[in-house]
Amino acid sequence: MHQLHNFLANLTLVLGVAAVTAFLFQRLRQPVVLGYILAGMIVGPYIPIPLAVDSDIVHTLSELGIIFLLFSLGLEFSIRKLMKVLPTAGLITLIQCAFMLWLGYITGRAFGWSNIESFYAGAMIAISSTTIVVKAFSELGIRDNVTETVFAILIVEDFIAILLLAGLPALTQSRDSSGLMFAKAVGTLVMFLVTVIAAGMILIPRILRIVMRMNRSEVTLVVIIGICFAISLLAKEMGYSVALGAFIAGSLMAESGDEGYLDTLIRPVRDLFAAVFFVSVGMLFDPSVFARHWLSLLIFIVLVVVGKFLGVTVGTFLVGYGTRHSIRTGLSLAQIGEFSFIIAGMGVATGATGTFLFPLAVAVSIITTFAAPWRIRGSDTIAKWVDKYMPHRLQTFTTLYSTWIQRLRQPQSPVARSRIKRLSFLLFIDTVLFTSIILGALLSLETLTSRLKTWIDLPEIPAQSIGILMTIVLATPFGVGIIRCIHALGFELTARVMPRQEKGKLDLAVAPRRVLTVTLQLGIVLLVGLPLLALTQPFVPSFYSALVFAIILMFLGVVFWRGTTQLYGHVRAGAEMVVEMLSTSMEKQREISVIPEDQFLPGLGSVFSIRLVPGSLAIGRTLADLNLRGITGASVIAITHGKQGVVVPTGKERLQEGDILAITGTEEALKLSKQLLLGRE
C-alpha cells in the first residue's frame, strides 16, 4: 500500500509541475518540450526546490516514454516514404549526418575524450529533433516547399538515428576486442534486424487487419501496444536499446496502410509518457555543467548551429534546390533533441562514455531549441542577405545550377539510366570493399603481426610493416576504382544535361559543362568521402585521412572557382546575343516570350522575356530593391530598352516602363519572377 501511495504521489507531482510549465511555455509560444525539461529540473535533485521526486519511479516511466515516442516515429516512417524521399533527402541527410559525426568526433578528441566518447558525441549532434521541428513549424504556421524538404530530411535522419542506436552497442563491445569480435557483433546485429523485420513484415500487417475488422478501438490499442512492448523486450534481451525495438514495431505496423488511424489511437498515451520522458531528461540535467564544461558546451552549441546549417545547406543546394531554399532548410534543422538524449543516455548507461555527456546533450538541446523559432522566422531574411552579397560569378552559377539539375531530373533514355546505375553500383562496391579492407586490416593488425612473427620469424616492426604493405596492395585497386567511378559519373551526368558535340564541331558548351562536371564530382566526393571519414575515424588515424580528403576538396575547389570565372564570361556572351535578338524583335514589332537554348550559347537554359507593362510593381525600382534572385531564385541576364541593352545587370539599374527583362531559372523561379515583376501596386 505504501508503494502505491509513493507511486501516485510522485506521478502527481511530476504531471502537476509539467502541466504548469507546459501551459506557460505554450502561452510564451515556445516548444512545450522545453517546458517539460524545465519541470524535470524543478523536481530533480540539482535545484534546491523542495519538490524532489523518486528518480527510480520517474526513470521507469521515462523508459515507457521512449518506447511510445519511438513507436510513434516508426508509425510515421515507412519503406515507401523512405524510397520516395531517398533520391534527394537521402543524399542531403547522408552529407549532413556524416559531416556532423566527423565534427563531433574530432572535437571530442581535441578535448581529450576517448575514441568511443568522441564517436558518441558526434552521433549525439548528428540528428535533429523531429518533435521540436514539427512543433515549431506548426506553431509558426509555415507550410511551403521548404517544409516538405525539411520533413523529408527528418524521415531519413530518423532512419540513420535508428542505425546508430543499433550499431553503437556493437562499437562499444568491440572497443577492447579484436576485429573478429567486431565482425561478430555486426553480424549478430544484421541477423537480428533481418529476422525481426522479415518475420514482422509477414505477420504484423496480417494480425492488424484481422484485429481492425472487429472495429473495436480499445482492442486495437491493446494489441498494438502489446506488439510494441514485445519487440522492444526482444531488442532489450538481445542487448540493444528498447528504442530500436519500438521504432521497428512502429515501422512494421505502418506497412499495414492504417498508420494514420493507429497514430491517432496511440497519440494520447504517447503524449502522456513522452512528457514524463522529457521530465526525466530535465531531472538528470545538472546546471553546474555550465560552470564545469562551459568551453565544451559553447563549442558544441556552435558546432550544432553552424555545422548543421552548413551540412544541410550544401547538401540541399547540391541536389538542385536554390540558394534561398537551401539556406532556409539549413537554418530550420540547426538543433538537436530526443535522439540526442537517447544516444547520450545509452552511452552513459553502457559505460561507453563519462556521465558528463548526457547533461551536455541536454544543455545544447535547450539552447539550440530556444533559438529555433527565431532562426526559422529569420531564415528568409538571412537567405536574401546571403544572396545579395554573394560574388557575381557565384550568383550566376547558383541560378544556372538549379536549372541544370532540374533538367537532369527529367526522364532519361534507358541506355543513359543503365550507364548511370552501373557506375553508381561500381562506386558503391568499390567503396564498401575499400572500407572493409582498411577496417579489417586495422582491427586485425595486431593478430596479423603476431602470426607473421610466428610464421616467418620476423621482428615486430618488419612484421607490422609487411601487414600494412599487404593492406595497401589489397586496397589500392579499389581506391583507384573509386576515383575513376567519381570521374566517369561526373562526366556521364553532365552529358545528360549538355550532350557532347561530335568530333570536328565547335563545342560552345565547354565552360558550363566544365563547371557542372566539377560540381557534380565535388558532390560525389562529399557523398562518399564524408561517410568514410565518419565511420572509420575510431579506427583510422583521423589526421591523415582528413588531410587526404582536404587536399582532394581543395583541388576540386580551385578547379570549380576557375570554372565559375569562365562560366561568367560564357553568360555575358550569351546575354549579348539575347539583347541583340530582343532588340531585333522589337524593331520588327514581334515580341519573343521564350528563347530556346539552341538559338544561342548552350548551358543557359531556356530564357524567358518579360515586358514591364504600365502599373507594374517593378517600374522605378532596381533589381537590388526587388531582390529578385534572393526571393525567387531566378536571374536577370539582360535588360533591353528600345535599342539599348544591359548585359548581366549589376542590380543597380533602375527599371522603366517598356523594359524587357531576359530571365533564366527553374520553372518555379520563373513563375515567381513573373508574379513579382508584373504585380500591381
Side-chain angles (χ1 to χ4, degrees):
M1 195 68 179
H2 174 71
Q3 290 180 344
L4 177 60
H5 177 272
N6 188 38
F7 175 80
L8 287 176
N10 281 274
L11 187 59
T12 300
L13 185 57
V14 166
L15 295 180
V17 176
V20 173
T21 54
F23 175 79
L24 291 175
F25 273 70
Q26 184 68 35
R27 293 299 298 268
L28 294 172
R29 301 184 66 82
Q30 291 295 321
V32 293
V33 170
L34 295 179
Y36 295 145
I37 293 175
L38 177 61
M41 295 169 63
I42 292 172
V43 301
Y46 298 107
I47 294 181
I49 297 177
L51 293 174
V53 298
D54 189 330
S55 59
D56 291 335
I57 293 176
V58 177
H59 177 72
T60 302
L61 293 173
S62 72
E63 287 288 315
L64 294 176
I66 293 175
I67 291 173
F68 284 119
L69 188 62
L70 270 293
F71 176 70
S72 181
L73 289 175
L75 280 175
E76 296 172 2
F77 174 88
S78 69
I79 301 299
R80 295 190 304 274
K81 287 182 180 178
L82 182 63
M83 291 298 104
K84 182 179 179 181
V85 303
L86 206 56
T88 53
L91 302 182
I92 299 169
T93 309
L94 190 59
I95 289 174
Q96 183 270 139
C97 287
F99 181 55
M100 294 306 295
L101 268 170
W102 177 69
L103 276 182
Y105 179 84
I106 61 172
T107 304
R109 295 297 291 158
F111 280 119
W113 302 347
S114 68
N115 276 341
I116 194 69
E117 285 177 333
S118 301
F119 197 83
Y120 266 89
M124 179 187 79
I125 63 173
I127 309 298
S128 300
S129 170
T130 301
T131 304
I132 292 169
V133 172
V134 171
K135 190 69 173 175
F137 274 112
S138 175
E139 292 176 352
L140 294 173
I142 299 174
R143 188 72 187 179
D144 54 15
N145 52 1
V146 172
T147 312
E148 294 175 3
T149 306
V150 168
F151 288 172
I153 293 172
L154 289 172
I155 289 173
V156 186
E157 279 198 355
D158 288 346
F159 178 68
I160 291 178
I162 292 303
L163 293 180
L164 288 171
L165 287 175
L168 284 171
L171 183 65
T172 304
Q173 293 171 18
S174 66
R175 57 179 170 166
D176 298 319
S177 306
S178 65
L180 183 61
M181 292 298 294
F182 178 73
K184 183 180 178 181
V186 172
T188 303
L189 169 63
V190 172
M191 286 296 296
F192 168 75
L193 293 175
V194 170
T195 303
V196 172
I197 292 173
M201 290 286 286
I202 295 171
L203 297 175
I204 290 178
R206 289 175 170 80
I207 293 172
L208 286 179
R209 281 193 285 270
I210 293 171
V211 172
M212 292 181 68
R213 287 196 198 107
M214 300 172 63
N215 200 26
R216 296 292 298 271
S217 58
E218 66 272 22
V219 176
T220 306
L221 180 62
V222 171
V223 170
I224 63 175
I225 291 178
I227 294 173
C228 173
F229 283 179
I231 298 179
S232 299
L233 178 61
L234 179 61
K236 185 71 173 177
E237 291 297 321
M238 292 295 295
Y240 305 114
S241 168
V242 292
L244 173 63
F247 186 89
I248 292 174
S251 59
L252 290 173
M253 292 186 198
E255 296 302 319
S256 68
D258 296 301
E259 64 273 15
Y261 171 71
L262 297 179
D263 183 63
T264 303
L265 204 60
I266 198 73
R267 188 175 300 162
V269 183
R270 177 203 66 191
D271 290 345
L272 172 64
F273 285 100
V276 178
F277 164 67
F278 286 111
V279 170
S280 72
V281 169
M283 288 177 62
L284 294 172
F285 175 66
D286 183 0
S288 64
V289 71
F290 287 98
R292 297 199 309 270
H293 300 285
W294 66 269
L295 182 59
S296 58
L297 174 61
L298 179 63
I299 290 177
F300 270 89
I301 290 171
V302 173
L303 282 183
V304 168
V305 175
V306 178
K308 276 187 166 291
F309 167 69
L310 290 176
V312 174
T313 301
V314 170
T316 307
F317 176 78
L318 285 173
V319 299
Y321 293 102
T323 305
R324 176 170 172 257
H325 188 112
S326 302
I327 290 174
R328 288 183 61 199
T329 304
L331 288 170
S332 300
L333 290 168
Q335 38 66 38
I336 60 175
E338 62 274 5
F339 274 116
S340 304
F341 306 149
I342 295 170
I343 289 171
M346 185 172 68
V348 174
T350 58
T353 69
T355 56
F356 66 90
L357 195 62
F358 188 86
L360 181 67
V362 176
V364 173
S365 176
I366 289 173
I367 294 172
T368 56
T369 300
F370 260 122
W374 283 280
R375 282 199 313 273
I376 294 173
R377 283 195 200 99
S379 61
D380 203 39
T381 303
I382 295 172
K384 293 174 184 176
W385 183 86
V386 170
D387 182 82
K388 182 178 180 180
Y389 292 101
M390 190 184 297
H392 289 306
R393 64 175 73 177
L394 286 183
Q395 290 176 342
T396 303
F397 164 75
T398 55
T399 300
L400 293 178
Y401 181 77
S402 297
T403 65
W404 297 335
I405 298 300
Q406 185 181 68
R407 293 179 61 180
L408 187 59
R409 289 177 179 171
Q410 294 174 357
Q412 306 289 338
S413 66
V415 175
R417 285 199 305 270
S418 176
R419 286 179 60 85
I420 292 172
K421 287 181 179 179
R422 177 177 172 275
L423 286 171
S424 301
F425 178 73
L426 289 175
L427 177 61
F428 175 75
I429 294 298
D430 284 339
T431 303
V432 170
L433 292 175
F434 179 81
T435 307
S436 301
I437 291 171
I438 297 295
L439 287 182
L442 287 171
L443 290 170
S444 305
L445 185 59
E446 186 176 340
T447 303
L448 180 62
T449 301
S450 63
R451 291 187 177 180
L452 285 173
K453 287 166 60 179
T454 304
W455 290 342
I456 54 180
D457 194 23
L458 282 176
E460 183 171 351
I461 294 179
Q464 193 176 58
S465 301
I466 291 175
I468 294 173
L469 183 61
M470 290 171 59
T471 303
I472 294 173
V473 170
L474 288 172
T476 297
F478 301 106
V480 172
I482 291 172
I483 295 172
R484 293 182 63 181
C485 285
I486 291 174
H487 182 266
L489 197 54
F491 277 98
E492 189 63 35
L493 291 170
T494 302
R496 305 282 72 80
V497 180
M498 288 171 270
R500 302 182 185 92
Q501 287 287 347
E502 298 177 5
K503 289 185 178 180
K505 290 188 176 182
L506 179 63
D507 189 359
L508 298 176
V510 172
R513 185 182 293 116
R514 180 180 292 122
V515 73
L516 176 58
T517 300
V518 73
T519 304
L520 292 173
Q521 290 172 344
L522 187 60
I524 299 169
V525 166
L526 290 174
L527 195 62
V528 174
L530 283 174
L532 271 178
L533 274 180
L535 296 177
T536 60
Q537 56 193 358
F539 313 103
V540 180
S542 54
F543 173 77
Y544 298 106
S545 55
L547 180 62
V548 172
F549 187 62
I551 291 172
I552 295 172
L553 290 182
M554 287 175 62
F555 171 76
L556 290 174
V558 170
V559 176
F560 166 78
W561 189 250
R562 290 178 178 175
T564 57
T565 304
Q566 296 169 352
L567 177 66
Y568 190 68
H570 178 86
V571 171
R572 288 190 65 87
E576 290 174 358
M577 297 177 68
V578 170
V579 168
E580 184 177 346
M581 291 182 66
L582 292 176
S583 299
T584 303
S585 68
M586 290 178 66
E587 290 177 0
K588 296 180 179 180
Q589 296 183 344
R590 179 168 53 86
E591 190 167 319
I592 302 175
S593 59
V594 181
I595 306 174
E597 184 178 1
D598 56 8
Q599 291 190 18
F600 55 102
L601 292 182
L604 300 187
S606 294
V607 176
F608 287 71
S609 64
I610 297 177
R611 179 190 291 273
L612 298 183
V613 297
S616 296
L617 182 65
I619 293 175
R621 304 174 69 181
T622 66
L623 291 175
D625 294 335
L626 293 170
N627 194 19
L628 182 71
R629 183 174 43 249
I631 295 174
T632 68
S635 185
V636 177
I637 64 171
I639 303 174
T640 62
H641 185 78
K643 295 184 179 180
Q644 298 179 343
V646 178
V647 176
V648 190
T650 62
K652 298 179 181 179
E653 297 82 3
R654 197 162 296 278
L655 302 177
Q656 305 174 42
E657 181 182 327
D659 282 358
I660 299 179
L661 281 65
I663 303 176
T664 185
T666 62
E667 293 179 5
E668 181 184 0
L670 293 170
K671 181 180 178 181
L672 292 173
S673 299
K674 189 172 182 179
Q675 294 174 356
L676 179 62
L677 291 169
L678 300 182
R680 302 286 177 169
E681 293 284 359

PDB file of all heavy atoms in Angstrom, residues 2 563 611:
ATOM      1  N   HIS A   2       1.950   1.178   0.778  1.00  0.00           N
ATOM      2  CA  HIS A   2       2.864   2.321   0.839  1.00  0.00           C
ATOM      3  C   HIS A   2       3.493   2.582  -0.529  1.00  0.00           C
ATOM      4  O   HIS A   2       3.675   3.735  -0.929  1.00  0.00           O
ATOM      5  CB  HIS A   2       3.948   2.057   1.880  1.00  0.00           C
ATOM      6  CG  HIS A   2       5.008   3.122   1.905  1.00  0.00           C
ATOM      7  ND1 HIS A   2       4.772   4.394   2.391  1.00  0.00           N
ATOM      8  CD2 HIS A   2       6.304   3.094   1.463  1.00  0.00           C
ATOM      9  CE1 HIS A   2       5.877   5.115   2.259  1.00  0.00           C
ATOM     10  NE2 HIS A   2       6.814   4.350   1.713  1.00  0.00           N
ATOM     11  N   GLY A 563      36.342  27.580 -62.996  1.00  0.00           N
ATOM     12  CA  GLY A 563      35.212  27.295 -63.875  1.00  0.00           C
ATOM     13  C   GLY A 563      34.120  28.344 -63.787  1.00  0.00           C
ATOM     14  O   GLY A 563      33.496  28.692 -64.792  1.00  0.00           O
ATOM     15  N   ARG A 611       8.083  41.760 -70.384  1.00  0.00           N
ATOM     16  CA  ARG A 611       7.984  43.203 -70.625  1.00  0.00           C
ATOM     17  C   ARG A 611       7.250  43.857 -69.453  1.00  0.00           C
ATOM     18  O   ARG A 611       6.203  43.373 -69.018  1.00  0.00           O
ATOM     19  CB  ARG A 611       7.239  43.478 -71.927  1.00  0.00           C
ATOM     20  CG  ARG A 611       7.062  44.976 -72.232  1.00  0.00           C
ATOM     21  CD  ARG A 611       6.122  45.177 -73.402  1.00  0.00           C
ATOM     22  NE  ARG A 611       6.729  44.728 -74.637  1.00  0.00           N
ATOM     23  CZ  ARG A 611       7.507  45.494 -75.412  1.00  0.00           C
ATOM     24  NH1 ARG A 611       7.753  46.749 -75.057  1.00  0.00           N
ATOM     25  NH2 ARG A 611       8.016  45.020 -76.527  1.00  0.00           N
TER      26      ARG A 611
END
